[in-house]
């Protein structure tokens, strides 16, 4: 901002000089990009960013519905740009924090300062108890993009995150030092990046189906281009985001809404036939029920009655497939020997997730519905979530892979592309070769 006022005040000649000298430090990107890798042992999706002074590369597990970024501050966090977030600050209030750490008794350092805003870092993979963590900000460096290739790295000065303890890392991919929360909050990474560079509060996530090739998350608006020159942002279908008024995190301050992305799924069709469902389960009542997307669940999870009805219709429609014994965590597996394969995976019944209007549906093809568990065996990649889950349908990672999902926080809507395989590309086809 100091830069733009200098521009207005200076003479033409000086402007030219200062734009030359400032070019490297005042890049105003239209969008940012991070790589996403699927961890083959935990099935978590991880990314890496650079943080601190001096810069350190840190890997984080992605939680698309997570409130904020959290990082282990308990082992070897060293940074001269670390700043605790004061309790009386606007950002502390906006974060929904309900606690202030007035006095930290351990020696001062990252994670332990007096009068610091306190929050609750959540690790949905872990079994460790909950605990508070100090909110702080630190320098983060991330690549810019024009939507086609990777541009210059840019500095985001004070990115707010929460300090976790080393024990909170339990259950995360061994490379991860914390989690990247992209959720519906005032302090999630997409919102902070958008306000740092005044670009739209939107991001798009495209998860790769392979652990050996990278998917991508774009922060900001499109274009979102995949090789060979497939622009996806203009061909999305949209459905409104629904606010769940009650937090769905493992632990939270009372009164905070959920930061998960809920959508208005109204029916499921298989080969055009509606799955008979108790529609009350699709409604959010006192924070329970409804449908959300998740990068924490590797496969879509459905409440028992929905799961049973879903499988029944699927099996009826797939009666020409040869059933074989089940392979955990799946219940319905088939021989793939005689199942023809297509560009969009095995030729199996089509699953449509119908949204707020019958003309808006997310079509799931074989590549996203069937999981190859061994040679010649494919399983229906959906799991039973029990009879009383918090959320009735959680659309998991496998069903999101090779689909681009855009979250538009300004218009409160979710855009989806359906399978990119149809467009003859995949989520691993973003050109990460830097031109900068
Ligand atoms: C925190 O407060 C305690 C008690 O007032 C004080 O002893 C300690 O020095 C303070 N620590 C810092 C880092 O200011
Ligand atoms: C869904 O919730 C709304 C508001 O809570 C309620 O009016 C409606 O009857 C519910 N629908 C079903 C099918 O339960
Ligand atoms: C099963 O039926 C579907 C839909 O009619 C068809 O596309 C597929 O080729 C058939 N599969 C087998 C194994 O016959
Ligand atoms: C979901 O969509 C249905 C059908 O358009 C509509 O009646 C309902 O109000 C929507 N629910 C919410 C919570 O927006
Ligand atoms: C990827 O981007 C780089 C840098 O802009 C460019 O040189 C290269 O040709 C691109 N690769 C393909 C396959 O288009």
């Amino acid at each position: 901002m100091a830069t733009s006022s200098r521009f207005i005040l200076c003479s033409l000649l000086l402007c030219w000089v200062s734009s030359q000298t400032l070019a490297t430090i005042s890049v105003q990107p239209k969008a940012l990009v991070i790589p996403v890798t699927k961890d083959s042992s935990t099935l978590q999706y991880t990314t890496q960013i650079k943080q601190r002074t001096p810069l350190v590369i840190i890997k984080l597990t992605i939680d698309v519905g997570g409130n904020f970024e959290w990082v282990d501050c308990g082992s070897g966090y060293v940074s001269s740009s670390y700043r605790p977030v004061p309790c009386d600050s606007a950002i502390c209030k906006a974060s929904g924090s309900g606690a202030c750490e007035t006095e930290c008794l351990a020696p001062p350092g990252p994670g332990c300062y007096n009068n610091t805003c306190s929050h609750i870092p959540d690790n949905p993979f872990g079994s460790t108890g909950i605990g508070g963590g100090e909110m702080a900000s630190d320098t983060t460096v991330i690549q810019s993009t024009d939507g086609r290739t990777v541009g210059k790295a840019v500095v985001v000065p004070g990115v707010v995150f929460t300090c976790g303890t080393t024990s909170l890392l339990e259950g995360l991919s061994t490379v991860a030092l914390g989690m990247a929360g992209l959720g519906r909050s005032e302090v999630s990474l997409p919102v902070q990046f958008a306000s740092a560079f005044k670009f739209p509060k939107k991001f798009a996530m495209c998860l790769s189906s392979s652990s050996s090739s990278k998917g991508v998350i774009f922060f900001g608006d499109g274009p979102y281009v995949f090789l060979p020159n497939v622009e996806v942002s203009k061909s999305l279908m949209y459905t409104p985001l629904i606010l769940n008024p009650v937090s769905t995190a493992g632990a939270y301050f009372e009164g905070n809404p959920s930061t998960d992305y809920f959508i208005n799924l109204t029916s499921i069709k298989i080969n055009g036939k509606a799955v008979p469902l108790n529609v009350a389960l699709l409604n959010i009542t006192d924070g329970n029920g409804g449908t959300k997307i998740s990068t924490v669940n590797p496969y879509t999870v459905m409440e028992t009655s929905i799961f049973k009805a879903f499988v029944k219709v699927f099996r009826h429609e797939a009666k020409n497939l040869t059933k074989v014994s089940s392979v955990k965590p799946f219940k319905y597996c088939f021989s793939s020997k005689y199942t023809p394969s297509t560009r969009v995976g095995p030729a199996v019944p089509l699953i449509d997730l119908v949204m707020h209007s019958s003309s808006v549906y997310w079509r799931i093809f074989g590549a996203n519905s069937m999981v190859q568990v061994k040679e010649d065996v494919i399983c229906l990649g959906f799991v039973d979530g029990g009879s009383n889950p918090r959320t009735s349908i959680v659309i998991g990672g496998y069903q999101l892979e090779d689909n681009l999902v855009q979250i538009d926080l300004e218009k409160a809507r979710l855009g989806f592309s359906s399978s990119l395989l149809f467009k003859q590309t995949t989520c691993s086809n973003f050109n990460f070769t830097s031109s900068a």
Side-chain angles (χ1 to χ4, degrees), residues 242 264 266 356:
I242 292 176
N264 193 357
T266 57
H356 63 288

Side-chain angles (χ1 to χ4, degrees), residues 160-422:
V160 171
F161 64 101
T162 300
C163 277
T165 56
T166 307
S167 62
L168 194 64
L169 297 175
E170 190 213 311
L172 291 188
S173 156
T174 51
V175 299
L177 263 192
M179 298 188 75
L182 309 180
R184 190 171 184 175
S185 79
E186 294 302 317
V187 282
S188 70
L189 291 177
V191 171
Q192 292 195 59
F193 293 154
S195 52
F197 299 113
K198 308 275 178 287
F199 59 61
K201 280 190 205 167
K202 296 181 183 182
F203 71 97
M205 178 175 78
C206 205
L207 304 175
S208 168
S209 55
S210 155
S211 49
S212 56
S213 48
K214 283 177 281 193
V216 58
I217 293 173
F218 301 95
F219 297 99
D221 216 341
Y224 308 132
V225 183
F226 295 83
L227 296 170
N229 201 23
V230 182
E231 211 283 273
V232 181
S233 73
K234 295 290 183 290
S235 54
L236 303 177
M237 295 229 251
Y238 296 97
T239 190
L241 289 172
I242 292 176
L243 185 71
N244 182 341
V246 184
S247 174
T248 38
Y252 56 93
F253 294 113
E254 195 146 344
N256 282 347
S258 174
T259 58
D260 272 309
Y261 295 108
F262 280 82
I263 48 177
N264 193 357
L265 183 145
T266 57
S267 77
I268 300 175
K269 289 180 177 171
I270 299 177
N271 278 349
K273 302 208 174 59
V275 174
L277 305 173
N278 173 2
V279 290
L281 292 169
L282 304 177
N283 229 358
I284 298 171
T285 310
D286 301 330
N288 298 308
T291 302
K292 68 176 187 181
I293 62 165
S294 167
T295 52
V296 166
N297 293 86
Y299 305 101
T300 295
V301 184
M302 294 169 159
E303 180 277 337
T304 293
S305 70
I306 299 177
F307 180 74
K308 285 190 173 146
F310 173 78
V311 165
K312 194 170 174 196
V313 177
F314 189 89
R315 288 191 66 196
H316 183 262
E317 291 303 309
K319 53 182 171 294
N320 63 353
L321 301 184
T322 313
K323 195 172 172 306
V324 299
S325 3
S326 57
V327 177
K328 274 187 178 163
F330 308 114
K331 203 149 182 211
Y332 290 94
C333 299
F334 306 92
S335 166
S336 58
K337 245 186 239 165
Y338 312 105
T339 312
S341 54
T342 70
R343 177 180 293 157
V344 286
V348 295
L350 301 176
I351 299 166
D352 291 336
L353 306 180
V354 184
M355 303 300 168
H356 63 288
S357 145
S358 58
S359 60
V360 179
Y361 51 87
W362 182 328
R363 179 156 285 184
I364 299 176
F365 298 91
N368 291 105
S369 61
M370 307 308 292
V371 182
Q372 181 101 41
V373 292
K374 48 184 148 173
E375 210 189 337
D376 296 338
V377 178
I378 51 175
C379 299
L380 183 60
F382 292 72
V383 297
D384 186 342
S387 56
N388 203 11
R390 183 65 197 278
T391 300
S392 302
I393 300 179
V394 180
I395 302 174
Y398 195 80
Q399 278 67 43
L400 299 172
E401 288 170 1
D402 288 328
N403 285 244
L404 181 132
V405 176
Q406 186 196 51
I407 301 289
D408 179 343
L409 288 159
E410 290 176 2
K411 294 199 173 106
R413 63 181 187 174
L414 178 148
F416 54 95
S417 65
S418 196
S419 181
L420 296 185
L421 303 179
F422 249 129

